[in-house]
Amino acid sequence: GAGVSQSPRYKVAKRGQDVALRCDPISGHVSLFWYQQALGQGPEFLTYFQNEAQLDKSGLPSDRFFAERPEGSVSTLKIQRTQQEDSAVYLCASSFSGNTIYFGEGSWLTVV
Amino acid sequence: ELKVEQNPLFLSMQEGKNYTIYCNYSTTSDRLYWYRQDPGKSLESLFVLLSNGAVKQEGRLMASLDTKARLSTLHITAAVHDLSATYFCSDFGNEKLTFGTGTRLTIIP
């Protein structure tokens, strides 16, 4: 596709449920990033992939958060045993050379 | 700790006026990004500034970068209502974007 595609766009999860958020980056983009944006805040870094290698996961808030990109294209962010504080927009971004970094529309997660 | 600070956080402007948003960052990165975000939407890339002294302009927006002062500015000329949005600056250090708090801009007729 023409841009970064994320699914689902909206997800309501009961506390304790596991969720999986998918990101399809722009074709050929080597770098892929996940960010978390709480209401009224700026995006916060979660993790970064270069191809299939996860080079930085320092922003993942707990061991309930896990991300993968097994074939160097599509990525999945998984959140286990969701908590209310996980409610946020999860943004995926990709880039080819690290110059322009393109963001997807985001996955809006609400934990009830 | 990597830090990006924007000033002001909130800005109400009258149409037709000029104003500047300031962005101070703490890394030694020479790459600075500006994004626009409309309510309920994702981030739209406005400018990528790649070196000291870089200046880019698009319509009524102009961005500049001073890496020695670790300062970037986003200047708005003759504001129009369509520019109402939240603007984020972000520096690229340690292979990741670190975002500022954002400046919520409201253009008043």
Side-chain angles (χ1 to χ4, degrees), chain A residues 4-23:
Chain A
V4 179
S5 177
Q6 293 187 245
S7 62
R9 288 293 317 280
Y10 304 94
K11 174 73 178 177
V12 178
K14 289 186 178 178
R15 196 171 60 174
Q17 267 187 330
D18 297 348
V19 299
L21 308 176
R22 177 188 168 106
C23 173

Side-chain angles (χ1 to χ4, degrees), chain A residues 2-110:
Chain A
V4 179
S5 177
Q6 293 187 245
S7 62
R9 288 293 317 280
Y10 304 94
K11 174 73 178 177
V12 178
K14 289 186 178 178
R15 196 171 60 174
Q17 267 187 330
D18 297 348
V19 299
L21 308 176
R22 177 188 168 106
C23 173
D24 276 276
I26 294 171
S27 179
H29 278 196
V30 170
S31 299
L32 185 145
F33 307 84
W34 283 99
Y35 284 81
Q36 180 191 59
Q37 186 175 24
L39 194 64
Q41 304 292 317
E44 296 279 344
F45 171 80
L46 293 177
T47 188
Y48 160 59
F49 290 86
Q50 191 171 75
N51 295 307
E52 68 277 4
Q54 189 174 21
L55 298 186
D56 188 341
K57 54 181 181 179
S58 61
L60 296 176
S62 76
D63 59 7
R64 295 187 295 105
F65 286 71
F66 171 76
E68 60 183 5
R69 194 186 185 196
E71 296 176 1
S73 55
V74 170
S75 177
T76 304
L77 176 67
K78 297 179 180 177
I79 309 172
Q80 297 177 324
R81 304 181 304 281
T82 52
Q83 304 293 316
Q84 281 192 317
E85 61 263 28
D86 300 335
S87 296
V89 181
Y90 291 86
L91 296 165
C92 178
S94 72
S95 75
F96 176 68
S97 62
N99 286 349
T100 303
I101 299 175
Y102 298 92
F103 280 80
E105 291 293 314
S107 289
W108 295 66
L109 174 65
T110 303

Side-chain angles (χ1 to χ4, degrees), chain B residues 13 29 35 37 39 43 47 49 52 65 69 72 90 103-104 107 109:
Chain B
M13 296 175 58
S29 169
Y35 285 91
Q37 188 173 40
L43 295 156
F47 301 106
L49 303 168
N52 186 40
L65 179 62
S72 180
S90 178
T103 295
R104 187 174 297 181
I107 308 298

Side-chain angles (χ1 to χ4, degrees), chain B residues 5 7 13 28 41 57 60 63 66 78 92 96 103 106:
Chain B
E5 293 181 338
N7 172 22
M13 296 175 58
T28 56
K41 301 291 185 181
Q57 182 162 6
R60 300 174 188 275
D66 180 345
F92 192 79
K96 62 191 173 197
T103 295
T106 304

